[in-house]
Amino acid sequence: MNESDQIEKTPLFDEHVAAGGRMVEFAGFELPVQYTSLVEEHQAVRNRAGLFDVSHMGEIVIRGPAAFEFVQLVSCNDHSKMTVGRAQYTGLMYPEGTFVDDILVHKMADDEYLLVVNAANRRKDFAYLSDLAQDHDGVEIVDLSNDYAQIALQGPLAAEVLQPLTPQDLSAIKYYRFVTAEVAGAPALVARTGYTGEDGFEVYVAPSAAPGIWRAILDEGRPKGVQPAGLGARDTLRFEAGMSLYGNDIDETTTPLEAGLGWIVKLGKGDFIGRDVLERQKEEGVERLLVGFEMVDRGIARHGYPVMLDADAGEPIGEVTSGTQSPTLGKALGMAYLPIEATGVGTEFFVEIRNRSARARVVELPFYSRKKSEKAI
Amino acid sequence: MSLPAELLYGRSHEWIRVEGDAVVIGITNYAQDQLGEVVYVELPEVGTGVATGEELGTLESVKAVSEFLAPVGGEVIGVNERLEDEPNLVNEDPYGAGWLVKISGSAEGEDFLDAEAYQQFLEQESG
C-alpha cells in the first residue's frame, strides 16, 4: 500500500468521534458526514453558524522572485491587482482551458502565494505545478498540506462567536481578505472566505492547535446555537449557493466559461495556460453551459442521472452534475450541462429517474443567496 | 426507541405487522436513523405484484437514495399516501404513521426475527 492509498485522520478526528460524528471516507480522509442531522446542521449554518473541519483541503505554496509571474501563468484569473492579505478564487488551467482544479489564491507576500486546493486534487496539483516550475527560474513549489489544519466557522453569527477568541478586530477583515492573528491563543491565518453562501471565516492553524481552537469556538458558540456540521451539510450549502464542486460540476473536461464562471477568466491580463481555448470560446460562445434547474415532476435528480431534451427521445444529452432536495428552499434542485440553445430560464427538459422521464425546468443560479434573502426580509 | 413486541423484523431492517391475510410493512428505527431525514418516498402502485426480496420502492434522504425490498411476496393492497407530503413520518414514527406498504400475503415460511432477536442482531451488527 502506498501513501496515497492510506486513509488519513485529521487532527480533529477524536473530536468528531466524541461528538457522535458518522465517519466516512472522503478524498482519502476520515471525516464526519453528519453529527446529529444533515438538515439540522444545514439550517444551523443558514440561521446561526456551523463549525466544519476542512483540514483535508490542501495547502500549496508558490514562492520566489518569479512567484507572481508563475501564478499568472497557471491561473485564469488576474492576480495583478491583489495586495498582500487578499484572497481570490480561480481555476488552475490545463492547456485545453479546462480545470486542473478550482482553488483559492492567498497573497502572503509579493513573492509568496498560498493556494488552497481540493483534497482529492492535492497530489495532482502539486505534481502539475512542480513539473511546470522546472522550466521556470525563481519559483519554488512546496506542499504544506500537512502543516495546516483548517476550521471553517460559517453563518450569520460567525463574527460574533469568533470575536471573543481573538484580539484581531474581525470587522476589519472584509470579504475575501485575510490576516494573521491569534485565535484561542494560537497563531492562525484568519480568512473571511467560505463555501456555504454565508458570511464566515476559514481559520488555518498548526495541526496541534486545532483541537483547542475547535473546542474554544464550540464553547463560545453553543449557547448561541452553533454546532459542528459535517460533509453532508457542506455539500448542500455550497450547492444551494451555486458553488461548483470539483469532480461533480467541473473537472478536467470542462472550462470556466462552460461552467458559468466567466468572471474568473481575465483575458486582458496577458498570456496564460489555456488562454487560446478560452479566448475562442469567449468569441464564438460556448456550446454547452452549466445551468441550475428545479424538478417540475416528482422526484429528486441526483449526480450522474441522464438528462434528455425530450421525454422519450433516446440519447441522453448529458448528466446531472449535482442534485438534491434543497433543505432551505424545500425543492428538488439540480445542476447540469445543457446545449446552449436549451439554457434559457424556463426551458424544460427531462431527467431520467429510475427509468422514468421526469420534467425539469431551468432556473437562475445561485438557487440561494443571502443578499436575496435579506432583501426578501 | 424500544422495539414494539408485536412486530416481526427482517435482517435488512424492515418490520412487518400481520393483519389477518395481509401484512403492513415499514422500516425500523435503526434503518431510518441510518438513512437520515427522509425527503422523498416512492411507493408502488396498488395492485402491483411482488415477490419476496423484490424492490418495493425507494426512500431518499437529502444525501442518499435507498431501495426497500419486499419482505414478503404478494399483491400491494395499500400504500401510505400521507408520505407523499409528509415523508418525514418515516423518521418521526417509523412503527406507526410512517408505515410504507400493505401487501396481501403471508409471513409464513419467511425468516423473521422477533423483537428480542432483532435487538441482538442490531447489537452484533454495530459491535
Side-chain angles (χ1 to χ4, degrees):
Chain A
M1 188 184 271
N2 64 41
E3 193 200 356
S4 61
D5 289 338
Q6 284 176 10
I7 299 179
E8 297 181 54
K9 290 184 166 79
T10 75
L12 295 166
F13 179 83
D14 292 343
E15 304 295 322
H16 304 320
V17 172
R22 190 169 291 163
M23 306 305 284
V24 298
E25 195 262 326
F26 179 78
F29 287 83
E30 263 191 274
L31 285 164
V33 65
Q34 66 171 54
Y35 297 85
T36 50
S37 140
L38 190 163
V39 174
E40 187 184 304
E41 291 159 25
H42 179 107
Q43 305 297 12
V45 174
R46 288 273 179 260
N47 301 320
R48 301 180 299 279
L51 191 62
F52 299 84
D53 176 11
V54 279
S55 301
H56 57 299
M57 300 295 284
E59 289 84 9
I60 295 174
V61 165
I62 298 178
R63 64 186 169 210
F68 167 69
E69 287 76 17
F70 189 79
V71 170
Q72 289 287 78
L73 173 72
V74 297
S75 155
C76 58
N77 209 333
D78 182 4
H79 305 284
S80 65
K81 294 180 184 71
M82 288 179 89
T83 50
V84 172
R86 283 190 187 243
Q88 220 171 8
Y89 178 68
T90 189
L92 198 58
M93 291 286 101
Y94 283 117
E96 293 76 19
T98 56
F99 285 98
V100 180
D101 200 358
D102 67 324
I103 64 174
L104 275 180
V105 175
H106 301 74
K107 184 166 180 175
M108 309 294 287
D110 284 336
D111 59 355
E112 183 175 339
Y113 293 83
L114 174 70
L115 278 43
V116 177
V117 308
N118 281 300
N121 292 337
R122 165 191 161 192
R123 289 185 176 82
K124 178 184 77 174
D125 294 356
F126 179 68
Y128 184 73
L129 294 169
S130 299
D131 277 355
L132 285 169
Q134 286 188 345
D135 299 328
H136 289 263
D137 290 337
V139 61
E140 182 190 11
I141 316 292
V142 192
D143 185 352
L144 291 183
S145 302
N146 293 335
D147 295 355
Y148 284 106
Q150 194 198 148
I151 295 170
L153 177 62
Q154 299 278 303
L157 297 187
E160 184 183 325
V161 168
L162 193 60
Q163 187 60 82
L165 301 173
T166 177
Q168 167 70 37
D169 174 13
L170 294 177
S171 68
I173 312 175
K174 305 296 181 206
Y175 196 46
Y176 271 73
R177 312 273 178 101
F178 67 92
V179 299
T180 50
E182 275 197 1
V183 177
L189 191 156
V190 181
R192 199 153 199 159
T193 52
Y195 194 49
T196 59
E198 299 300 329
D199 185 21
F201 298 88
E202 294 182 306
V203 180
Y204 301 78
V205 293
S208 60
I213 291 178
W214 178 268
R215 285 194 289 262
I217 294 174
L218 282 179
D219 287 348
E220 190 65 39
R222 269 214 184 84
K224 300 185 166 87
V226 176
Q227 60 186 86
L231 291 172
R234 183 170 158 83
D235 188 46
T236 52
L237 288 158
R238 72 89 199 163
F239 169 77
E240 287 182 345
M243 293 167 150
S244 292
L245 171 62
Y246 193 94
N248 279 34
D249 313 303
I250 54 174
D251 60 21
E252 68 286 342
T253 69
T254 53
T255 74
L257 295 171
E258 292 167 345
L261 294 169
W263 60 277
I264 64 168
V265 178
K266 301 287 164 58
L267 297 173
K269 73 168 186 170
D271 197 25
F272 61 93
I273 294 172
R275 188 202 151 95
D276 296 351
V277 177
L278 295 175
E279 193 169 15
R280 197 169 62 241
Q281 275 194 348
K282 214 161 196 173
E283 277 168 16
E284 298 173 4
V286 292
E287 288 176 14
R288 58 174 185 162
L289 185 65
L290 186 67
V291 299
F293 66 83
E294 62 181 26
M295 294 307 300
V296 178
D297 290 340
R298 266 172 63 78
I300 301 174
R302 305 267 181 188
H303 173 67
Y305 286 10
V307 166
M308 295 137 319
L309 285 182
D310 299 300
D312 43 23
E315 279 302 287
I317 51 158
E319 292 185 343
V320 174
T321 59
S322 288
T324 190
Q325 174 82 6
S326 159
T328 305
L329 302 164
K331 296 177 187 175
L333 302 173
M335 295 195 241
Y337 284 93
L338 294 182
I340 191 71
E341 60 275 14
T343 55
V345 167
T347 307
E348 294 201 338
F349 62 98
F350 296 85
V351 179
E352 188 182 316
I353 301 177
R354 290 181 289 281
N355 301 318
R356 173 172 66 87
S357 280
R359 191 180 298 266
R361 179 165 54 214
V362 176
V363 297
E364 258 180 76
L365 283 175
F367 304 113
Y368 165 89
S369 82
R370 66 177 185 272
K371 290 205 185 79
K372 270 191 211 166
S373 68
E374 274 163 15
K375 271 185 211 149
I377 299 162
Chain B
M1 196 181 285
S2 63
L3 295 166
E6 69 276 18
L7 305 180
L8 292 171
Y9 299 88
R11 288 179 175 78
S12 42
H13 306 291
E14 62 286 330
W15 57 259
I16 65 163
R17 187 174 65 237
V18 178
E19 289 183 355
D21 292 338
V23 291
V24 176
I25 298 164
I27 65 167
T28 66
N29 185 54
Y30 173 84
Q32 71 77 19
D33 183 59
Q34 289 292 309
L35 195 55
E37 290 97 339
V38 175
V39 293
Y40 183 81
V41 179
E42 204 164 84
L43 297 172
E45 281 179 31
V46 171
T48 309
V50 288
T52 306
E54 248 180 27
E55 185 186 328
L56 198 50
T58 311
L59 296 168
E60 299 194 38
S61 66
V62 172
K63 191 79 193 152
V65 182
S66 91
E67 290 152 2
F68 64 94
L69 308 178
V72 300
E75 186 190 326
V76 175
I77 54 169
V79 297
N80 186 354
E81 285 168 2
R82 280 184 73 190
L83 298 179
E84 183 164 334
D85 294 323
E86 300 171 87
N88 56 329
L89 289 174
V90 174
N91 301 108
E92 285 164 11
D93 192 7
Y95 301 117
W99 68 278
L100 299 171
V101 178
K102 194 172 182 178
I103 285 181
S104 76
S106 161
E108 243 160 76
E110 307 286 354
D111 181 22
F112 286 104
L113 306 171
D114 63 18
E116 198 180 329
Y118 179 63
Q119 184 64 45
Q120 282 170 8
F121 174 72
L122 283 181
E123 282 158 20
Q124 283 165 8
E125 278 234 313
S126 57

